[in-house]
Amino acid sequence: MLRVTTNTTLYTYQKNLLKNTNQLYSAMNTVMTGRNFDSYSADPAAATRAFKIHSSLNAANAQSSNNTTVLNKFSTAWDVADDMINDLVTDLAQAPALKGLNATNLSTLNTSGDVIYSGAEAIVQSLNGKYDNSYLFNGADTQNPPFALEQDGDRTYVTYRGVRIDDPATLDQPYEDEDGNQVLKDDGSPMSNREMLAKWSGEHQYIDIGIGFDVDENGKVVPSTAFDSAISGTDFIGGVGTDADGDPTNIVSIMLRLSEVFRGYNEDTGTWGAAGDQEDAERLMGKLSKAQEALSGQHTQLETQAKFLQTNQTQLESTFYSLNTELNSVEKVDQVEAILALVSAQTSYNAALQVGANVVPQSLMDYLA
C-alpha cells in the first residue's frame, strides 16, 4: 500500500504553486510588454526572423531618407530651370534681343545689351544655387560654387570650376588646379582644360535608394543598382566649346556674345563694333532659341527623374509598412489572447492558493519533523 506523507504532499503542492506562479508572472509580463518573447533563448526562430526584419527596416528607413533628400534636390533644380526658362531667358534675353533687332529700336541697342548681360549674370547666380547647403549643379563636388563670369578685356567668359568653357584659345591648354599643378593622364601627359571639363561632366554621385545597391568586383557601384544624384552644370546649360561658326554652345555664353554685339553698337554713328553686326546678332538669336529648347529638354529630364523618385518613395513607404506589419506579427502578441491567458493563469494561481489554505493545512508537528 502506497503511503503519501505530509512532506511529499507539501513538496508536490509547492512545486505546482511555483509552476502556477511562473505562469502568472509570464502572462502578466506578456500583457505589460506586448511581446511574444523577451530574449533570444525564449524563441530562437522568431528572434532570428525579428532581427532580420529590424535590419531590413533600418535599411528601408535610410533609403527613404536618401530618396527624400535627392527628390528635394531634383525638385529644387527643376524650379531653378523653370525660372531660367520662363523668366530669365525669355524676359532678359529673347525679349530685349527681339526688341533690339527691330530697326526702329537701334537707338536702344546698348540698353538691350545691358539687359541681356544682366540676364546672363542672373542665370549664373541661379546655377550656383544650393539645396541643404550643397550646390545643385556642380556634379559630385557639392561644396564649391560651380560657375563664375570672368572678364578679359571687352569679352566675358563663363567658367566652370575655374576653367573657361567657351574660350577656344584656352580649352586645349594644359589644365592647372588652383595651386598651379597639372593633372596627368595615365600616359603621363598633362590633361587639357577640355579633357578636365569632360571628366567633371562624367562625374557620378551614387545614392542607395532601395533599387538593389551593389558593387562589382573592383568595388565600384553598379550603376543600375543606385541613383546618380550628380547634376553636371556644363551639360545642363548646353555643353562646352564652340560650334562650326565659332559660337558658344551654352546658353549663358550665347547671351554674353549677344550682349557684346549690342553693346558694341555706336548709337551716335549707327555703326556696329568689333564684337559683331546685325547679321551676327541674328545668327546668335537663332542659336539662343535652340539653346533654350535644349534647356527645356534638361528641364523635362529633371521632371522625369523627380517623378521616378516620387514613385520610388511610395514604394519604399509600402515596403516599410509591410515590414513593420510582419515585425509586429513576429514580436507582438494578440492582446485579447494575452489577457485571456492572464485571466486563466490568475485563476489557476488563486486555485492553488485555495488548495494550500484548505487542503494542506500545516501543523506544529510539520515544522518539528
Side-chain angles (χ1 to χ4, degrees), residues 18-41:
L18 180 60
K19 179 181 178 181
N20 288 326
T21 302
N22 288 336
Q23 289 177 343
L24 177 61
Y25 170 77
S26 178
M28 292 176 60
N29 186 62
T30 299
V31 171
M32 288 187 295
T33 63
R35 294 178 58 85
N36 274 323
F37 53 89
D38 292 324
S39 63
Y40 183 84
S41 59

PDB file of all heavy atoms in Angstrom, residues 18-41:
ATOM      1  N   LEU A  18       4.660  26.896  -7.490  1.00  0.00           N
ATOM      2  CA  LEU A  18       5.734  27.629  -8.162  1.00  0.00           C
ATOM      3  C   LEU A  18       5.495  27.666  -9.670  1.00  0.00           C
ATOM      4  O   LEU A  18       5.706  28.692 -10.319  1.00  0.00           O
ATOM      5  CB  LEU A  18       7.081  26.983  -7.857  1.00  0.00           C
ATOM      6  CG  LEU A  18       8.316  27.645  -8.497  1.00  0.00           C
ATOM      7  CD1 LEU A  18       8.450  29.089  -8.025  1.00  0.00           C
ATOM      8  CD2 LEU A  18       9.585  26.856  -8.176  1.00  0.00           C
ATOM      9  N   LYS A  19       5.011  26.544 -10.212  1.00  0.00           N
ATOM     10  CA  LYS A  19       4.715  26.487 -11.644  1.00  0.00           C
ATOM     11  C   LYS A  19       3.614  27.481 -12.007  1.00  0.00           C
ATOM     12  O   LYS A  19       3.709  28.216 -12.994  1.00  0.00           O
ATOM     13  CB  LYS A  19       4.307  25.062 -12.017  1.00  0.00           C
ATOM     14  CG  LYS A  19       3.954  24.889 -13.484  1.00  0.00           C
ATOM     15  CD  LYS A  19       3.543  23.448 -13.778  1.00  0.00           C
ATOM     16  CE  LYS A  19       3.154  23.296 -15.248  1.00  0.00           C
ATOM     17  NZ  LYS A  19       2.733  21.885 -15.535  1.00  0.00           N
ATOM     18  N   ASN A  20       2.550  27.511 -11.176  1.00  0.00           N
ATOM     19  CA  ASN A  20       1.460  28.450 -11.423  1.00  0.00           C
ATOM     20  C   ASN A  20       1.915  29.898 -11.277  1.00  0.00           C
ATOM     21  O   ASN A  20       1.468  30.788 -12.001  1.00  0.00           O
ATOM     22  CB  ASN A  20       0.287  28.171 -10.481  1.00  0.00           C
ATOM     23  CG  ASN A  20      -0.461  26.898 -10.850  1.00  0.00           C
ATOM     24  OD1 ASN A  20      -0.584  26.563 -12.014  1.00  0.00           O
ATOM     25  ND2 ASN A  20      -0.961  26.186  -9.848  1.00  0.00           N
ATOM     26  N   THR A  21       2.799  30.124 -10.305  1.00  0.00           N
ATOM     27  CA  THR A  21       3.330  31.482 -10.092  1.00  0.00           C
ATOM     28  C   THR A  21       4.124  31.946 -11.316  1.00  0.00           C
ATOM     29  O   THR A  21       3.990  33.082 -11.775  1.00  0.00           O
ATOM     30  CB  THR A  21       4.224  31.517  -8.849  1.00  0.00           C
ATOM     31  OG1 THR A  21       3.481  31.084  -7.701  1.00  0.00           O
ATOM     32  CG2 THR A  21       4.756  32.920  -8.601  1.00  0.00           C
ATOM     33  N   ASN A  22       4.961  31.037 -11.844  1.00  0.00           N
ATOM     34  CA  ASN A  22       5.752  31.380 -13.039  1.00  0.00           C
ATOM     35  C   ASN A  22       4.853  31.651 -14.241  1.00  0.00           C
ATOM     36  O   ASN A  22       5.106  32.569 -15.038  1.00  0.00           O
ATOM     37  CB  ASN A  22       6.730  30.256 -13.356  1.00  0.00           C
ATOM     38  CG  ASN A  22       7.876  30.183 -12.352  1.00  0.00           C
ATOM     39  OD1 ASN A  22       8.194  31.176 -11.708  1.00  0.00           O
ATOM     40  ND2 ASN A  22       8.476  29.004 -12.210  1.00  0.00           N
ATOM     41  N   GLN A  23       3.807  30.834 -14.380  1.00  0.00           N
ATOM     42  CA  GLN A  23       2.870  31.039 -15.482  1.00  0.00           C
ATOM     43  C   GLN A  23       2.150  32.379 -15.348  1.00  0.00           C
ATOM     44  O   GLN A  23       1.942  33.086 -16.342  1.00  0.00           O
ATOM     45  CB  GLN A  23       1.854  29.889 -15.524  1.00  0.00           C
ATOM     46  CG  GLN A  23       2.440  28.556 -15.983  1.00  0.00           C
ATOM     47  CD  GLN A  23       1.420  27.438 -15.939  1.00  0.00           C
ATOM     48  OE1 GLN A  23       0.382  27.555 -15.280  1.00  0.00           O
ATOM     49  NE2 GLN A  23       1.722  26.334 -16.613  1.00  0.00           N
ATOM     50  N   LEU A  24       1.776  32.736 -14.103  1.00  0.00           N
ATOM     51  CA  LEU A  24       1.111  34.012 -13.873  1.00  0.00           C
ATOM     52  C   LEU A  24       2.050  35.177 -14.177  1.00  0.00           C
ATOM     53  O   LEU A  24       1.659  36.149 -14.819  1.00  0.00           O
ATOM     54  CB  LEU A  24       0.621  34.093 -12.421  1.00  0.00           C
ATOM     55  CG  LEU A  24      -0.039  35.419 -12.009  1.00  0.00           C
ATOM     56  CD1 LEU A  24      -1.282  35.690 -12.863  1.00  0.00           C
ATOM     57  CD2 LEU A  24      -0.389  35.406 -10.524  1.00  0.00           C
ATOM     58  N   TYR A  25       3.291  35.053 -13.734  1.00  0.00           N
ATOM     59  CA  TYR A  25       4.274  36.118 -13.990  1.00  0.00           C
ATOM     60  C   TYR A  25       4.506  36.284 -15.489  1.00  0.00           C
ATOM     61  O   TYR A  25       4.560  37.406 -16.013  1.00  0.00           O
ATOM     62  CB  TYR A  25       5.594  35.793 -13.299  1.00  0.00           C
ATOM     63  CG  TYR A  25       6.719  36.718 -13.703  1.00  0.00           C
ATOM     64  CD1 TYR A  25       6.817  38.011 -13.185  1.00  0.00           C
ATOM     65  CD2 TYR A  25       7.677  36.306 -14.641  1.00  0.00           C
ATOM     66  CE1 TYR A  25       7.831  38.863 -13.579  1.00  0.00           C
ATOM     67  CE2 TYR A  25       8.684  37.151 -15.044  1.00  0.00           C
ATOM     68  CZ  TYR A  25       8.761  38.436 -14.497  1.00  0.00           C
ATOM     69  OH  TYR A  25       9.768  39.272 -14.903  1.00  0.00           O
ATOM     70  N   SER A  26       4.623  35.127 -16.186  1.00  0.00           N
ATOM     71  CA  SER A  26       4.847  35.169 -17.627  1.00  0.00           C
ATOM     72  C   SER A  26       3.670  35.823 -18.344  1.00  0.00           C
ATOM     73  O   SER A  26       3.852  36.644 -19.253  1.00  0.00           O
ATOM     74  CB  SER A  26       5.084  33.756 -18.155  1.00  0.00           C
ATOM     75  OG  SER A  26       5.246  33.771 -19.555  1.00  0.00           O
ATOM     76  N   ALA A  27       2.456  35.472 -17.923  1.00  0.00           N
ATOM     77  CA  ALA A  27       1.266  36.044 -18.551  1.00  0.00           C
ATOM     78  C   ALA A  27       1.166  37.542 -18.279  1.00  0.00           C
ATOM     79  O   ALA A  27       0.808  38.332 -19.162  1.00  0.00           O
ATOM     80  CB  ALA A  27       0.014  35.325 -18.058  1.00  0.00           C
ATOM     81  N   MET A  28       1.477  37.952 -17.032  1.00  0.00           N
ATOM     82  CA  MET A  28       1.453  39.378 -16.686  1.00  0.00           C
ATOM     83  C   MET A  28       2.499  40.150 -17.485  1.00  0.00           C
ATOM     84  O   MET A  28       2.239  41.240 -17.995  1.00  0.00           O
ATOM     85  CB  MET A  28       1.694  39.561 -15.184  1.00  0.00           C
ATOM     86  CG  MET A  28       0.573  39.062 -14.298  1.00  0.00           C
ATOM     87  SD  MET A  28       0.982  39.202 -12.536  1.00  0.00           S
ATOM     88  CE  MET A  28       1.232  40.955 -12.387  1.00  0.00           C
ATOM     89  N   ASN A  29       3.682  39.573 -17.620  1.00  0.00           N
ATOM     90  CA  ASN A  29       4.756  40.232 -18.354  1.00  0.00           C
ATOM     91  C   ASN A  29       4.404  40.372 -19.836  1.00  0.00           C
ATOM     92  O   ASN A  29       4.688  41.393 -20.476  1.00  0.00           O
ATOM     93  CB  ASN A  29       6.052  39.435 -18.197  1.00  0.00           C
ATOM     94  CG  ASN A  29       7.249  40.137 -18.817  1.00  0.00           C
ATOM     95  OD1 ASN A  29       7.620  41.227 -18.400  1.00  0.00           O
ATOM     96  ND2 ASN A  29       7.860  39.501 -19.806  1.00  0.00           N
ATOM     97  N   THR A  30       3.750  39.340 -20.387  1.00  0.00           N
ATOM     98  CA  THR A  30       3.343  39.385 -21.785  1.00  0.00           C
ATOM     99  C   THR A  30       2.326  40.495 -22.020  1.00  0.00           C
ATOM    100  O   THR A  30       2.395  41.233 -23.011  1.00  0.00           O
ATOM    101  CB  THR A  30       2.749  38.034 -22.217  1.00  0.00           C
ATOM    102  OG1 THR A  30       3.744  37.014 -22.068  1.00  0.00           O
ATOM    103  CG2 THR A  30       2.288  38.080 -23.663  1.00  0.00           C
ATOM    104  N   VAL A  31       1.355  40.640 -21.110  1.00  0.00           N
ATOM    105  CA  VAL A  31       0.351  41.692 -21.251  1.00  0.00           C
ATOM    106  C   VAL A  31       0.995  43.073 -21.137  1.00  0.00           C
ATOM    107  O   VAL A  31       0.672  43.999 -21.894  1.00  0.00           O
ATOM    108  CB  VAL A  31      -0.762  41.519 -20.196  1.00  0.00           C
ATOM    109  CG1 VAL A  31      -1.693  42.732 -20.195  1.00  0.00           C
ATOM    110  CG2 VAL A  31      -1.558  40.257 -20.467  1.00  0.00           C
ATOM    111  N   MET A  32       1.919  43.226 -20.169  1.00  0.00           N
ATOM    112  CA  MET A  32       2.541  44.538 -19.946  1.00  0.00           C
ATOM    113  C   MET A  32       3.474  44.941 -21.092  1.00  0.00           C
ATOM    114  O   MET A  32       3.490  46.098 -21.523  1.00  0.00           O
ATOM    115  CB  MET A  32       3.300  44.535 -18.620  1.00  0.00           C
ATOM    116  CG  MET A  32       2.407  44.547 -17.396  1.00  0.00           C
ATOM    117  SD  MET A  32       3.317  44.759 -15.842  1.00  0.00           S
ATOM    118  CE  MET A  32       4.287  43.265 -15.804  1.00  0.00           C
ATOM    119  N   THR A  33       4.270  44.007 -21.608  1.00  0.00           N
ATOM    120  CA  THR A  33       5.236  44.343 -22.671  1.00  0.00           C
ATOM    121  C   THR A  33       4.632  44.239 -24.061  1.00  0.00           C
ATOM    122  O   THR A  33       5.090  44.913 -24.997  1.00  0.00           O
ATOM    123  CB  THR A  33       6.466  43.423 -22.593  1.00  0.00           C
ATOM    124  OG1 THR A  33       6.063  42.068 -22.823  1.00  0.00           O
ATOM    125  CG2 THR A  33       7.139  43.530 -21.242  1.00  0.00           C
ATOM    126  N   GLY A  34       3.625  43.392 -24.205  1.00  0.00           N
ATOM    127  CA  GLY A  34       3.027  43.185 -25.515  1.00  0.00           C
ATOM    128  C   GLY A  34       3.918  42.403 -26.460  1.00  0.00           C
ATOM    129  O   GLY A  34       3.679  42.376 -27.673  1.00  0.00           O
ATOM    130  N   ARG A  35       4.942  41.724 -25.945  1.00  0.00           N
ATOM    131  CA  ARG A  35       5.899  40.995 -26.771  1.00  0.00           C
ATOM    132  C   ARG A  35       5.719  39.496 -26.610  1.00  0.00           C
ATOM    133  O   ARG A  35       5.349  39.000 -25.537  1.00  0.00           O
ATOM    134  CB  ARG A  35       7.336  41.367 -26.397  1.00  0.00           C
ATOM    135  CG  ARG A  35       7.707  42.805 -26.707  1.00  0.00           C
ATOM    136  CD  ARG A  35       9.138  43.092 -26.257  1.00  0.00           C
ATOM    137  NE  ARG A  35      10.089  42.197 -26.889  1.00  0.00           N
ATOM    138  CZ  ARG A  35      10.630  42.379 -28.082  1.00  0.00           C
ATOM    139  NH1 ARG A  35      10.306  43.470 -28.793  1.00  0.00           N
ATOM    140  NH2 ARG A  35      11.489  41.520 -28.588  1.00  0.00           N
ATOM    141  N   ASN A  36       6.046  38.785 -27.710  1.00  0.00           N
ATOM    142  CA  ASN A  36       5.967  37.327 -27.660  1.00  0.00           C
ATOM    143  C   ASN A  36       7.134  36.718 -26.917  1.00  0.00           C
ATOM    144  O   ASN A  36       7.023  35.613 -26.368  1.00  0.00           O
ATOM    145  CB  ASN A  36       5.939  36.750 -29.087  1.00  0.00           C
ATOM    146  CG  ASN A  36       4.533  36.696 -29.656  1.00  0.00           C
ATOM    147  OD1 ASN A  36       3.587  36.411 -28.934  1.00  0.00           O
ATOM    148  ND2 ASN A  36       4.392  36.984 -30.944  1.00  0.00           N
ATOM    149  N   PHE A  37       8.266  37.419 -26.921  1.00  0.00           N
ATOM    150  CA  PHE A  37       9.472  36.899 -26.264  1.00  0.00           C
ATOM    151  C   PHE A  37      10.327  38.070 -25.802  1.00  0.00           C
ATOM    152  O   PHE A  37      10.286  39.156 -26.370  1.00  0.00           O
ATOM    153  CB  PHE A  37      10.273  35.995 -27.210  1.00  0.00           C
ATOM    154  CG  PHE A  37      10.598  36.628 -28.523  1.00  0.00           C
ATOM    155  CD1 PHE A  37      11.763  37.364 -28.693  1.00  0.00           C
ATOM    156  CD2 PHE A  37       9.744  36.499 -29.613  1.00  0.00           C
ATOM    157  CE1 PHE A  37      12.066  37.955 -29.900  1.00  0.00           C
ATOM    158  CE2 PHE A  37      10.042  37.094 -30.832  1.00  0.00           C
ATOM    159  CZ  PHE A  37      11.204  37.812 -30.974  1.00  0.00           C
ATOM    160  N   ASP A  38      11.107  37.818 -24.747  1.00  0.00           N
ATOM    161  CA  ASP A  38      11.972  38.853 -24.189  1.00  0.00           C
ATOM    162  C   ASP A  38      13.455  38.570 -24.417  1.00  0.00           C
ATOM    163  O   ASP A  38      14.299  39.438 -24.185  1.00  0.00           O
ATOM    164  CB  ASP A  38      11.731  39.003 -22.687  1.00  0.00           C
ATOM    165  CG  ASP A  38      10.357  39.572 -22.380  1.00  0.00           C
ATOM    166  OD1 ASP A  38       9.902  40.428 -23.147  1.00  0.00           O
ATOM    167  OD2 ASP A  38       9.746  39.139 -21.385  1.00  0.00           O
ATOM    168  N   SER A  39      13.776  37.372 -24.837  1.00  0.00           N
ATOM    169  CA  SER A  39      15.168  37.010 -25.052  1.00  0.00           C
ATOM    170  C   SER A  39      15.268  36.063 -26.238  1.00  0.00           C
ATOM    171  O   SER A  39      14.278  35.454 -26.658  1.00  0.00           O
ATOM    172  CB  SER A  39      15.752  36.338 -23.799  1.00  0.00           C
ATOM    173  OG  SER A  39      15.074  35.117 -23.519  1.00  0.00           O
ATOM    174  N   TYR A  40      16.461  35.942 -26.754  1.00  0.00           N
ATOM    175  CA  TYR A  40      16.676  35.060 -27.901  1.00  0.00           C
ATOM    176  C   TYR A  40      16.355  33.613 -27.560  1.00  0.00           C
ATOM    177  O   TYR A  40      15.776  32.886 -28.370  1.00  0.00           O
ATOM    178  CB  TYR A  40      18.123  35.177 -28.366  1.00  0.00           C
ATOM    179  CG  TYR A  40      18.435  34.354 -29.589  1.00  0.00           C
ATOM    180  CD1 TYR A  40      18.169  34.829 -30.865  1.00  0.00           C
ATOM    181  CD2 TYR A  40      18.985  33.080 -29.465  1.00  0.00           C
ATOM    182  CE1 TYR A  40      18.448  34.067 -31.997  1.00  0.00           C
ATOM    183  CE2 TYR A  40      19.269  32.310 -30.592  1.00  0.00           C
ATOM    184  CZ  TYR A  40      18.994  32.816 -31.850  1.00  0.00           C
ATOM    185  OH  TYR A  40      19.260  32.050 -32.953  1.00  0.00           O
ATOM    186  N   SER A  41      16.731  33.203 -26.340  1.00  0.00           N
ATOM    187  CA  SER A  41      16.515  31.819 -25.940  1.00  0.00           C
ATOM    188  C   SER A  41      15.035  31.479 -25.788  1.00  0.00           C
ATOM    189  O   SER A  41      14.647  30.317 -25.872  1.00  0.00           O
ATOM    190  CB  SER A  41      17.242  31.533 -24.622  1.00  0.00           C
ATOM    191  OG  SER A  41      16.768  32.405 -23.597  1.00  0.00           O
TER     192      SER A  41
END
